[in-house]
């Protein structure tokens, strides 16, 4: 199947609608912001606060996205829709684990490698490459075109960080782009799908006078 066919398929259109609220972008960006703080503080493992945004994704989808879209717009299968949320959550958790092991755990032992002098910050470059790979896979599997933009930003941020900037700069740059674009997508979603009006509470029956 060609790339164009993948993004024009019925699944692609449904997933585009499902992720049109920008929640995945904002949550992923918030995770990266917390990860950047972990890098600055030089902690050996990711902090609990870094994982918290991932746990909020399910709640955002159920309380914000579904009431506005309606289950029927997504095919009417509640179990299937819930599975998409679970897959997104697991994907974020796996990506965070891999990147945190790379940056904080130093599983590649970059400090011990005889790297050339013209590459002063291998960790920033490694983050850019790993982040771009995770985002590219996500863009292809979901599928979601704007995640290709994030992959390109991650690669560019990694190159800048590898030669000019500290590692956390690449993390913060990618996080800012994801949160910024995610907020823009969410605002557009809110304008297009306003919150449904809540039914008025029924009036209590009048008591008969004796």
């Amino acid at each position: 199947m060609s790339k164009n066919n993948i993004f024009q398929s019925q699944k692609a259109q449904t997933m585009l609608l499902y992720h049109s609220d920008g929640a995945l972008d904002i949550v992923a960006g918030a995770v990266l912001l917390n990860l950047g703080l972990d890098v600055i503080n030089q902690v050996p493992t990711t902090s609990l606060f870094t994982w918290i945004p991932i746990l909020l994704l399910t709640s955002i989808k159920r309380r914000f996205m579904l009431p506005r879209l309606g289950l029927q717009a997504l095919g009417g299968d509640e179990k299937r829709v819930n599975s998409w949320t679970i897959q997104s959550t697991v994907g974020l958790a796996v990506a965070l684990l891999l990147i945190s092991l790379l940056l904080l755990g130093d599983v590649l032992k970059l400090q011990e490698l005889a790297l050339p002098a013209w590459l002063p910050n291998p960790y920033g470059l490694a983050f850019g490459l790993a982040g771009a790979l995770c985002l590219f896979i996500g863009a292809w599997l979901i599928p979601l075109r704007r995640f290709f933009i994030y992959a390109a930003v991650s690669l560019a941020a990694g190159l800048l960080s590898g030669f000019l900037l500290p590692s956390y700069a690449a993390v913060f740059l990618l996080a800012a782009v994801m949160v910024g674009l995610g907020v823009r997508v969410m605002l557009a979603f809110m304008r297009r799908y306003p919150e449904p009006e809540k039914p008025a509470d029924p009036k209590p029956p009048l008591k008969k006078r004796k």
Side-chain angles (χ1 to χ4, degrees), residues 1-10 12-13 140 143 145 148:
M1 184 180 292
S2 67
K3 180 179 177 180
N4 289 334
N5 288 338
I6 290 176
F7 287 100
Q8 294 173 2
S9 65
Q10 182 62 39
Q13 297 303 315
W140 190 265
R145 288 182 186 272
F148 285 119

Side-chain angles (χ1 to χ4, degrees), residues 24-210:
L24 181 61
D25 311 56
I26 295 174
V27 168
V31 168
L32 288 174
L33 286 174
N34 290 334
L35 179 62
L37 294 176
D38 290 338
V39 175
I40 290 177
N41 294 326
Q42 297 181 345
V43 296
T45 58
T46 50
S47 64
L48 177 62
F49 292 102
T50 306
W51 293 92
I52 287 178
I54 298 178
L55 303 177
L56 298 177
L57 182 61
T58 300
S59 178
I60 295 173
K61 287 293 186 181
R62 288 180 179 176
R63 299 183 180 183
F64 175 77
M65 184 272 293
L66 278 178
R68 293 171 182 266
L69 278 181
L71 194 60
Q72 293 303 319
L74 299 171
D77 190 341
E78 185 175 1
K79 290 184 178 180
R80 187 181 181 189
V81 172
N82 289 337
S83 71
W84 294 339
T85 306
I86 294 173
Q87 291 168 15
S88 300
T89 302
V90 172
L92 281 174
V94 171
L96 174 58
L97 180 62
L98 292 176
I99 293 176
S100 62
L101 286 174
L102 183 65
L103 282 181
L104 303 177
D106 194 19
V107 292
L108 296 182
K109 304 298 181 183
L110 295 178
Q111 290 183 339
E112 300 176 6
L113 298 178
L115 297 173
W118 48 262
L119 184 60
N121 185 15
Y123 293 97
L125 181 60
F127 166 78
L129 293 173
L133 179 61
C134 292
L135 289 164
F136 182 86
I137 293 174
W140 190 265
L141 292 179
I142 291 177
L144 205 57
R145 288 182 186 272
R146 65 180 183 268
F147 270 60
F148 285 119
I149 298 176
Y150 298 146
V153 171
S154 178
L155 184 59
L159 290 173
L160 285 174
S161 179
F163 297 101
L164 299 173
L165 303 173
S167 302
Y168 60 81
V171 182
F172 284 141
L173 178 58
L174 178 58
V177 172
M178 296 191 76
V179 171
L181 186 53
V183 169
R184 182 180 177 183
V185 171
M186 179 171 284
L187 291 176
F189 176 83
M190 293 172 64
R191 289 192 296 266
R192 186 171 184 180
Y193 303 100
E195 188 175 2
E197 296 182 1
K198 296 180 180 180
D201 296 332
K203 296 182 179 180
L206 296 175
K207 295 183 179 180
K208 294 182 179 180
R209 295 182 179 179
K210 295 182 180 180

